[in-house]
Amino acid sequence: MAVYLSLTVIVLLLALLIKQTDRAGGALRIYQGMSRQQMVNCVTCLIIFVLLFAVSALRLNVGNDYLKYVEFMHLAYSRAYVPTEIGFNALARIVYFVCGFENYLLIFAMFAFATIYFFMKAMYEQSKWFTLSMVMFMLLGYYFQSLSTVRYYLALSVALYAVKFVVNRDWPRFVLITLIGSLFHKSLLLILLLYVVAQLKWRRWMYVGLGLLGASCLVLKDFYLKVVILLYPSYKDTEYLEGGTSIVNIVRCIVILAFSLWMYKDVIRDSRADRFYFICNIMAMVLYVFGAFIPVISRVGYYLTVTHLLFIPSLVMGIKDEDKRKLATACVTIACVMYFALYMRGAGNDGIRILPYQTFLFHDLPLTLSERGYY
């Protein structure tokens, strides 16, 4: 716990030094047209990246799926069947072949590097207030959950990065990066539908249609489950079909909806990016409320709610009254701290299991299934 708390405090203090509003100001130019503030931004971002990467890359048997992934890498290298995507399997085979031994630590480090890179790059380039985005990234568990759900959070980081291509309607790059990311987690293909729909200029009838579609889940549950099984046959007769939703996510979406409606005229109406975030939040809310029966619904919803990392800072920065803006910032920060406390309270439980923190520098990996002779 001390490692995570120290990391969080240091990262957030460093994030306070980053000021994106000074990109083209009249500050002292010191290197190839780069201002002093831009240099501070670059150095600070690099330090933050190194800290986050180090904690993630040095871990051993930290995360709910760590041992499972080690087993999958071994089986992929052995040319046995594994349920993971072709990109993950190919990476395991290439790294193991080049290293000459089963270097799973390097693969975890590569995933950590890519995940943190895409998250930070997306927030720095697209957020109107990087510091607040970073606060949400750390305190809402995005970084810490990436220690547990490795492949999915790589896909989630790619999804957030791909938002700029959707907003700019750069469809070739959007499709390309989505297809590449889906080689490591095929659920990323969902954004080809979700994000395209969310970027449309919505009319009233579309909101009505979304409400009716959500309500149809109440009477067509069995039909939708059959569709899910058709798309994901491995879910049949497993615990994944139990579904389940999160009251916290529903409340979060409702609060953000209320906040965004209040700021709609000043921030959202004339901004393509903010309208996209607005629709993503509404779609997520409908999904969480009516789609509780959908297997691993959170993995679908997170592709929509991850845009909160960009949406909330935009809404806060759009408040013209300075006192109200400070109050909104305080409220967002307090809510994030409360969530962080609850998350860390259960961080050692099954399903998360990022506690206790261990590193390969001082610990050994337990035997995998293959090593115990179960295969």
Side-chain angles (χ1 to χ4, degrees):
M1 179 73 79
V3 173
Y4 296 149
L5 293 179
S6 301
L7 176 68
T8 301
V9 171
I10 294 173
V11 165
L12 296 186
L13 288 176
L14 287 171
L16 293 173
L17 301 176
I18 298 176
K19 298 178 181 179
Q20 293 160 281
T21 55
D22 196 26
R23 289 180 185 272
L28 176 64
R29 302 283 174 174
I30 56 178
Y31 178 69
Q32 292 185 348
M34 182 178 288
S35 71
R36 176 185 296 172
Q37 184 60 56
Q38 288 173 321
M39 178 63 77
V40 170
N41 290 350
C42 290
V43 174
T44 304
C45 282
L46 179 60
I47 295 173
I48 291 175
F49 178 87
V50 170
L51 290 173
L52 296 177
F53 172 72
V55 170
S56 184
L58 292 175
R59 78 189 192 278
L60 180 74
N61 196 26
V62 173
N64 192 61
D65 295 334
Y66 195 98
L67 279 178
K68 184 185 296 184
Y69 278 132
V70 173
E71 180 69 16
F72 285 164
M73 294 173 200
H74 167 75
L75 293 176
Y77 182 57
S78 303
R79 301 288 176 172
Y81 168 76
V82 283
T84 45
E85 287 78 6
I86 186 173
F88 178 87
N89 300 340
L91 179 65
R93 291 166 185 162
I94 292 172
V95 171
Y96 281 14
F97 174 78
V98 171
C99 292
F101 65 100
E102 299 193 5
N103 192 352
Y104 53 85
L105 294 173
L106 178 57
I107 297 179
F108 279 115
M110 294 171 69
F111 269 89
F113 186 98
T115 301
I116 298 168
Y117 172 80
F118 281 117
F119 266 123
M120 289 192 63
K121 188 173 179 62
M123 291 186 292
Y124 187 80
E125 292 182 351
Q126 301 176 60
S127 177
K128 292 183 179 179
W129 190 4
F130 175 82
T131 300
L132 187 57
S133 292
M134 202 69 200
V135 168
M136 297 174 64
F137 175 66
M138 296 300 296
L139 298 183
L140 293 182
Y142 287 99
Y143 168 72
F144 295 106
Q145 194 60 28
S146 72
L147 304 180
S148 181
T149 318
V150 177
R151 288 166 41 248
Y152 174 73
Y153 269 77
L154 172 61
L156 195 63
S157 68
V158 172
L160 185 65
Y161 178 71
V163 165
K164 70 175 183 179
F165 300 127
V166 178
V167 173
N168 296 329
R169 295 181 179 175
D170 187 348
W171 302 120
R173 292 187 183 183
F174 170 63
V175 172
L176 178 61
I177 194 172
T178 301
L179 293 178
I180 293 174
S182 69
L183 295 177
F184 297 91
H185 205 287
K186 61 184 177 181
S187 69
L188 185 62
L189 294 173
L190 289 169
I191 70 173
L192 292 176
L193 173 63
L194 296 175
Y195 285 6
V196 170
V197 171
Q199 65 84 38
L200 297 174
K201 192 171 183 179
W202 278 48
R203 307 296 182 183
R204 291 184 179 179
W205 67 267
M206 299 175 74
Y207 291 102
V208 174
L210 179 62
L212 292 176
L213 180 62
S216 70
C217 294
L218 301 176
V219 294
L220 298 176
K221 174 182 176 181
D222 293 337
F223 170 75
Y224 289 139
L225 279 177
K226 289 180 181 178
V227 174
V228 171
I229 294 175
L230 181 64
L231 296 174
Y232 291 92
S234 60
Y235 283 169
K236 187 175 182 180
D237 299 325
T238 68
E239 69 276 8
Y240 292 114
L241 289 181
E242 295 177 2
T245 190
S246 169
I247 299 299
V248 173
N249 284 329
I250 294 176
V251 172
R252 175 175 157 187
C253 289
I254 292 175
V255 171
I256 292 176
L257 175 61
F259 186 18
S260 59
L261 288 174
W262 177 49
M263 296 297 299
Y264 191 89
K265 183 178 179 181
D266 294 332
V267 176
I268 300 173
R269 185 178 61 183
D270 299 323
S271 170
R272 181 184 297 173
D274 290 302
R275 287 200 306 269
F276 171 78
Y277 308 146
F278 178 74
I279 297 301
C280 281
N281 183 68
I282 292 178
M283 292 171 64
M285 183 179 65
V286 171
L287 182 66
Y288 284 129
V289 171
F290 295 103
F293 65 91
I294 299 176
V296 288
I297 183 178
S298 61
R299 295 196 172 186
V300 181
Y302 281 175
Y303 284 123
L304 297 169
T305 59
V306 73
T307 59
H308 290 170
L309 294 175
L310 308 176
F311 193 27
I312 296 300
S314 181
L315 292 175
V316 172
M317 291 298 290
I319 301 176
K320 298 178 180 179
D321 185 275
E322 185 176 354
D323 291 334
K324 291 181 179 179
R325 185 166 61 249
K326 290 180 178 178
L327 178 61
T329 303
C331 290
V332 172
T333 303
I334 291 172
C336 290
V337 170
M338 292 174 62
Y339 183 93
F340 182 72
L342 291 174
Y343 178 82
M344 281 301 170
R345 185 178 180 182
N349 298 339
D350 290 339
I352 301 178
R353 217 182 63 74
I354 62 171
L355 285 176
Y357 180 79
Q358 296 179 340
T359 170
F360 66 82
L361 299 175
F362 307 109
H363 301 87
D364 295 320
L365 186 72
L367 296 178
T368 62
L369 292 176
S370 296
E371 291 171 329
R372 292 200 298 265
Y374 287 10
Y375 287 101

